[in-house]
Amino acid sequence: MNDFVLPFDQWLAQVVASVESTLDVYLPTEDEEPAFLHEVMRYAVLGPGKRVRAALVYASGLACQSSLDTEHFKALSLAASAVELIHAYSLVHDDLPCMDNDELRRGRPTCHIKYGEAMALLAADALQPLAFKQLSQMPVAPALVIQAIDILSSAAGSHGMVGGQVIDVCHVGQQLSLTQLQQMHRMKTGAMIEGSVLLGAISSGANSEVRQALEDYAAAIGLAFQVVDDILDATVDSQSLGKTAGKDEQSQKPTYVSLMGLESSKTFVNQLHQTALAALLPLGPQAQRLRELADFIIRRHY
Amino acid sequence: MNDFVLPFDQWLAQVVASVESTLDVYLPTEDEEPAFLHEVMRYAVLGPGKRVRAALVYASGLACQSSLDTEHFKALSLAASAVELIHAYSLVHDDLPCMDNDELRRGRPTCHIKYGEAMALLAADALQPLAFKQLSQMPVAPALVIQAIDILSSAAGSHGMVGGQVIDVCHVGQQLSLTQLQQMHRMKTGAMIEGSVLLGAISSGANSEVRQALEDYAAAIGLAFQVVDDILDATVDSQSLGKTAGKDEQSQKPTYVSLMGLESSKTFVNQLHQTALAALLPLGPQAQRLRELADFIIRRHY
């Protein structure tokens, strides 16, 4: 994990294996009651996924303290699984008929298509407290655990992810200004991206200067992540995307592409990429995985 | 709050005022964006409610340490508001069309009737992280904060409240054994009742002997609470109940009344009442508010 010579895709594969093994251990199993609920929770979380947020936690941890001991690695794994649990719950609720009404997610039937709406609703509801339990078990100083919980609750709450989703839902079919769109994306996707990077830093005892650099990095790639999503939705077919493509235009959602056009959106992504890399300069070579993740997020084509 | 001479109903009114003022301070306001989301969150939480769980937090705190100083009072208020936030989110999701499809709650339109399904879903989603944030701000030793977060996450998770809801949803129209019904209720309602009592104890630095007595008390009244709910649903009209009455029978939900009959259910409640009072004996006069709450929960008629 802390071998900087390893090619990025192999490092990312290690990250995916590591967070999925942590999730597998901490998610309740189908041997425990209520077995059906646990099956749905595991379906929602353990399916194929890029695990970008988890990778950001580990990469941020490495940027702060490159020699990972066992405790530090465990703390990062718990933080990484916590952000993946929040992300997974949000996707399940996002896909529900009263929200995006999506039938396909990561190439598989969405949770409510497979298990029904009530089970999808409840399984996702049970993922949230599990995320906070994960953080409560991090082997770091109790004061840092409490900071981590504060950060995750802000990122997942009404001033973060859920707030962004509400602005999104409330503006379907309406024109948004670029500032409003940016605010929506900063909250909807950016808050959890920033939260992931900060959790990695907190689990590693980063000082406030390092945290600030990481926040600047995260703000830029968080935004870039959503702009790239909008570009992909407008340009890639459903099969390659692993979810229903063209949904944004079909449902008249405001996007960067609808507002700025495709070319300007691509230019904007490149600017954000440069901003992210510049923010990492003070961190030196230890920030390698964060730089590679910025490239990965921005250059993904599926 | 810690005046034991005050009649119970006046003490309870103090509790309600205290937890509602804490919720009012910590819930985001409509002056902050997204204003609409914050309006829905406040509607879901700040409506009329008995605040039984909040009262259990304070009463349990008093049973452990009857002289409440400012910090202790603040810790109990934060814990009490955390359990009320979890309870409020669960009611909003429970009322959704894919769940109980209820239109009336505490005498008012349910959240999705007033604001639409998407907003009800999301506002409730934003209440969960806020509950954990409340606990993270308790002015007690960090190790106790972490214990509190662990307890709330268990109570609200798949082995607690949500697990119980799933068992409930999965057995509509089916016969349950008394053991299965009891297990379902222990999780669905009992877990948060027990969690509330334990949070009060933890915020007050209770030792393990006291915690055990409180757990025994909470297990008995948690179960009694649900049996009383079943009895009320079968015997009281909608207007007095403040929600749609007779829903259980109509939706063929297994209940104590359908399984044991009305008279045996009432006998069972009285047995649980005695068990709860017996558990409190070692705690002496300081447990007065817990005893009164047991009476209140069991004798309520609306």
Side-chain angles (χ1 to χ4, degrees):
Chain A
M1 181 66 79
N2 53 343
D3 170 4
F4 286 109
V5 179
L6 207 65
F8 175 71
D9 55 350
Q10 288 178 36
W11 178 81
L12 190 60
Q14 279 190 356
V15 161
V16 171
S18 170
V19 72
E20 289 186 352
S21 122
T22 308
L23 287 165
D24 186 42
V25 167
Y26 285 89
L27 274 166
T29 71
E30 291 155 58
D31 294 337
E32 300 162 65
E33 288 299 331
F36 185 43
L37 170 60
H38 297 154
E39 179 186 335
V40 186
M41 288 168 76
R42 297 179 81 88
Y43 182 83
V45 176
L46 293 176
K50 295 182 294 296
R51 310 292 180 198
V52 169
R53 290 159 190 77
L56 285 167
V57 173
Y58 287 107
S60 171
L62 284 169
C64 298
Q65 192 179 326
S66 62
S67 60
L68 283 185
D69 64 20
T70 313
E71 297 284 274
H72 185 198
F73 179 70
K74 186 178 176 191
L76 291 176
S77 296
L78 285 165
S81 61
V83 297
E84 290 295 330
L85 287 168
I86 295 289
H87 182 54
Y89 115 71
S90 76
L91 296 181
V92 172
H93 282 186
D94 235 17
D95 289 336
L96 285 172
C98 69
M99 296 281 295
D100 286 355
N101 195 19
D102 259 315
E103 299 190 354
L104 196 61
R105 162 78 63 187
R106 294 170 178 166
R108 303 187 307 167
T110 48
C111 213
H112 67 278
I113 292 292
K114 190 163 168 81
Y115 294 108
E117 276 186 63
M119 285 308 298
L121 174 74
L122 291 170
D125 281 345
L127 296 176
Q128 278 218 74
L130 192 58
F132 290 97
K133 187 179 274 287
Q134 299 285 83
L135 293 186
S136 79
Q137 296 181 0
M138 292 200 304
V140 298
L144 293 180
V145 172
I146 294 170
Q147 277 184 40
I149 286 163
D150 187 53
I151 282 175
L152 187 67
S153 61
S154 294
S158 78
H159 292 108
M161 185 183 73
V162 175
Q165 285 171 313
V166 165
I167 297 175
D168 196 8
V169 164
C170 291
H171 288 90
V172 169
Q174 287 180 35
Q175 196 69 10
L176 279 184
S177 71
L178 199 57
T179 312
Q180 288 174 314
L181 188 74
Q182 195 136 324
Q183 182 57 21
M184 187 261 279
H185 285 163
R186 272 206 85 136
M187 293 166 79
K188 189 182 167 192
T189 319
M192 281 297 293
I193 299 274
E194 288 180 47
S196 302
V197 171
L198 275 177
L199 285 179
I202 282 167
S203 318
S204 314
N207 65 33
S208 61
E209 202 180 337
V210 170
R211 284 194 201 182
Q212 187 57 56
L214 290 171
E215 278 191 59
D216 295 344
Y217 161 84
I221 61 152
L223 196 47
F225 190 90
Q226 186 60 51
V227 186
V228 171
D229 251 15
D230 286 356
I231 293 171
L232 290 171
D233 185 83
T235 57
V236 179
D237 64 280
S238 298
Q239 199 176 2
S240 314
L241 204 55
K243 59 182 177 183
T244 315
K247 285 282 292 189
D248 294 339
E249 197 185 342
Q250 201 182 314
S251 57
Q252 292 191 290
K253 278 198 174 183
T255 70
Y256 274 95
V257 175
S258 70
L259 210 60
M260 301 175 81
L262 190 57
E263 285 315 308
S264 298
S265 299
K266 288 179 177 174
T267 307
F268 186 42
V269 166
N270 287 330
Q271 287 167 352
L272 290 167
H273 193 180
Q274 293 315 311
T275 305
L277 296 180
L280 295 179
L281 280 177
L283 300 178
Q286 285 188 197
Q288 177 190 327
R289 298 305 182 191
L290 287 174
R291 274 188 289 275
E292 291 169 338
L293 271 167
D295 297 349
F296 173 75
I297 285 167
I298 283 155
R299 303 238 165 86
R300 70 204 151 104
H301 299 289
Y302 296 85
Chain B
M1 180 68 77
N2 53 346
D3 170 4
F4 286 109
V5 180
L6 209 64
F8 175 72
D9 56 348
Q10 288 179 37
W11 178 82
L12 190 61
Q14 280 190 354
V15 161
V16 172
S18 168
V19 72
E20 290 186 351
S21 121
T22 308
L23 287 164
D24 185 44
V25 167
Y26 285 89
L27 275 166
T29 70
E30 292 155 57
D31 294 337
E32 301 162 64
E33 287 300 330
F36 185 43
L37 170 60
H38 297 154
E39 178 185 336
V40 186
M41 289 167 74
R42 297 179 81 87
Y43 182 83
V45 176
L46 293 177
K50 294 183 296 295
R51 309 293 180 200
V52 170
R53 290 158 190 78
L56 285 166
V57 174
Y58 287 107
S60 171
L62 285 170
C64 298
Q65 195 180 323
S66 61
S67 62
L68 284 185
D69 64 21
T70 313
E71 297 285 274
H72 186 200
F73 180 70
K74 186 178 176 191
L76 291 175
S77 296
L78 285 165
S81 62
V83 298
E84 290 295 329
L85 287 168
I86 294 290
H87 180 54
Y89 115 73
S90 76
L91 297 181
V92 172
H93 281 186
D94 235 18
D95 288 336
L96 285 172
C98 70
M99 297 281 294
D100 287 354
N101 195 20
D102 259 314
E103 299 190 353
L104 195 62
R105 163 78 64 188
R106 294 170 177 166
R108 303 187 306 167
T110 49
C111 212
H112 67 279
I113 293 292
K114 188 161 170 83
Y115 294 108
E117 276 186 63
M119 286 308 298
L121 174 75
L122 291 169
D125 281 347
L127 296 177
Q128 277 218 74
L130 191 58
F132 290 97
K133 187 179 275 286
Q134 300 284 83
L135 294 186
S136 78
Q137 297 181 0
M138 292 199 304
V140 298
L144 293 179
V145 172
I146 294 171
Q147 278 184 40
I149 286 163
D150 187 53
I151 281 176
L152 188 67
S153 62
S154 294
S158 78
H159 292 109
M161 184 184 74
V162 175
Q165 285 170 312
V166 165
I167 298 175
D168 196 8
V169 164
C170 290
H171 288 90
V172 169
Q174 287 179 35
Q175 195 68 10
L176 278 184
S177 72
L178 199 57
T179 313
Q180 288 174 313
L181 188 74
Q182 196 136 324
Q183 182 58 21
M184 187 262 277
H185 285 163
R186 271 206 86 136
M187 295 166 79
K188 190 181 166 190
T189 319
M192 282 297 294
I193 299 275
E194 288 180 45
S196 302
V197 172
L198 275 176
L199 286 178
I202 283 168
S203 316
S204 316
N207 66 31
S208 61
E209 200 181 340
V210 170
R211 283 194 202 182
Q212 187 57 57
L214 290 172
E215 278 191 58
D216 295 343
Y217 161 84
I221 61 152
L223 197 46
F225 190 91
Q226 187 59 51
V227 186
V228 172
D229 251 14
D230 286 357
I231 293 172
L232 291 172
D233 185 83
T235 56
V236 178
D237 64 282
S238 297
Q239 198 176 0
S240 314
L241 205 55
K243 59 183 178 185
T244 315
K247 284 283 290 189
D248 294 339
E249 196 184 345
Q250 200 181 317
S251 58
Q252 292 192 290
K253 280 200 172 181
T255 69
Y256 274 93
V257 175
S258 70
L259 210 59
M260 301 176 82
L262 189 57
E263 284 315 306
S264 298
S265 299
K266 288 179 178 175
T267 307
F268 187 41
V269 166
N270 286 331
Q271 286 166 352
L272 290 167
H273 192 181
Q274 294 313 310
T275 306
L277 296 180
L280 295 179
L281 280 178
L283 301 178
Q286 286 189 194
Q288 177 189 328
R289 298 306 181 191
L290 287 174
R291 273 188 290 274
E292 290 170 338
L293 271 166
D295 297 348
F296 174 74
I297 285 169
I298 283 156
R299 304 240 166 87
R300 69 204 152 105
H301 299 288
Y302 296 86

